[in-house]
Amino acid sequence: NDLASLMDVSVNQVISTCMSLGMFVSINQRLDAEAITIIADEFDYEIEFTKSDEEENFVEEVDNPEDLVTRAPIVTIMGHVDHGKTSLLDYIRRAKVTDDEAGGITQHIGAYDVMTNTGEKIAFLDTPGHEAFTAMRARGAKITDVAIIVVAADDDIMPQTKEAINHAQVAGVPMIFAINKIDKPNANPNKIKEQLANMNLLVEEWGGKYQSQDISAKVGTGIEELLEKVLLEAEVLELTANPNKNAVGTVVEASLDKGRGYVTTVMVQAGTLRVGDVMLAGQHYGKVKAMFDHKGKKLKEAPPSTPVQVLGLSGAPQAGDTFKVYDSEREAREIANSREQILREQSLRTKKHITLDEIGRRLAIGSFKELNIIIKGDVDGSVEALSDSLLKLSKDEVSVNIIHKGVGQISESDVLLASASDAIIIGFQVRPSPNAKKIAEQEEIEIRHYSIIYDAINQIKDAIEGMLEPEF
Ligand code: GDP
């Protein structure tokens, strides 16, 4: 939908183009950079990607190699529905919470970290499925180091398994296959490995390069081995970060809690986040009042690869927004304000309204079915006459709707109505109030002035018929 409006074509056209390219998409689906480029090309647009200042956060000062220390891998679990993603996440979370830890009541905060038997940490993103993964990537967030692809051994490689594999491959994230439900009598892990091999994904035990582990998320078989394989993969990746600087990372989840205010789960990716830090996430900022882990335990500081729940932001940022710690509250506030302004301007800019000149083009691309008009005039007689004549211009292809008419100056509320219903305004012998004029300019609402009824009728008629042509 966003892409269609930026290119000024109908959503249906974009969707059907995607289909012809083998992508089945819905109206609100996020597309990755590659898909956007290909689709835009079909409409003769060239895409130029710019870095948002959020991404700039990550164009960090290059760290001195001696400042870098090893950090824990961050893992996302993906796979087909019902293959056991949630069960696996739950099993790992439960198995790894030791009794002596405070509270002991684990909560879903969007991410958690565990200590393996060897004393090494692994952080998990707690939203199973590739939707969250893709949504975050679409926002420029690069948060996953390793993807675990869960496949049920009593089933087959399914469409969503393929999608998950695809997403991991496109993102360049290494995969480990977790072949699940091996406790079931009808489990056949070899069949899954064969199906993977047929997709050119040969597992290690068959001489390939992909790690795989037979597991049961229900009884716990193979989970420890799976975690070891994650650590092995992490070792190859040589994951490091500098803990001795202002924290940067990614928002995983955010919500408003009645008692505690805005609660934001973030993944620290570099630096160390501390209570009292001034942090900016998306267009929201604030001083970190308190931090908790997924067991509800209070934390004073969070080094790289630590997921934490943060209290103190001024609002709820979106999952995938990056966050950064600033030295001064003023700096954070200024950036927050300018981001908010940019967002406002963007939303205004994409809200294109109809004009008479635009009608022809919109019809040509098949996205125009109704012309909404607001009529204001100096006397009731001419308003009615104009309205009757314009209504008669309706055709099968385009209907003319008079959504509001009245006597008097064109007011602010007329303009707002036009904006809300994508209408043009016709002023017959009347002008807009200064305020209405200002808003019309801001909202790009077309106001047409006429003093002869026939001029008005002919122009609108031409516009509608102009678009109905050419007929072959
Ligand atoms: P998700 O949709 O991928 O998150 O799948 P779930 O974790 O919700 O699991 C789907 C169903 O499979 C649930 O009824 C689980 O109890 C069951 N399940 C998951 N893992 C296993 C397993 O290892 N063995 C058995 N027997 N059942 C499992």
Side-chain angles (χ1 to χ4, degrees), residues 61 73 139 276 333 418 433 437:
E61 334 74 74
R139 304 188 54 85
R333 183 173 49 235
S433 70
K437 195 170 170 206

Side-chain angles (χ1 to χ4, degrees), residues 412-455:
E412 213 176 302
S413 84
D414 294 330
V415 175
L416 292 174
L417 178 63
S419 173
S421 47
D422 198 15
I424 62 169
I425 300 177
I426 292 180
F428 188 78
Q429 304 270 35
V430 291
R431 301 253 136 209
S433 70
N435 224 3
K437 195 170 170 206
K438 208 172 84 194
I439 298 172
E441 275 163 18
Q442 272 169 12
E443 301 273 310
E444 295 177 31
I445 299 298
E446 182 169 50
I447 302 182
R448 292 245 158 189
H449 300 285
Y450 297 98
S451 44
I452 298 167
I453 288 186
Y454 282 103
D455 284 350

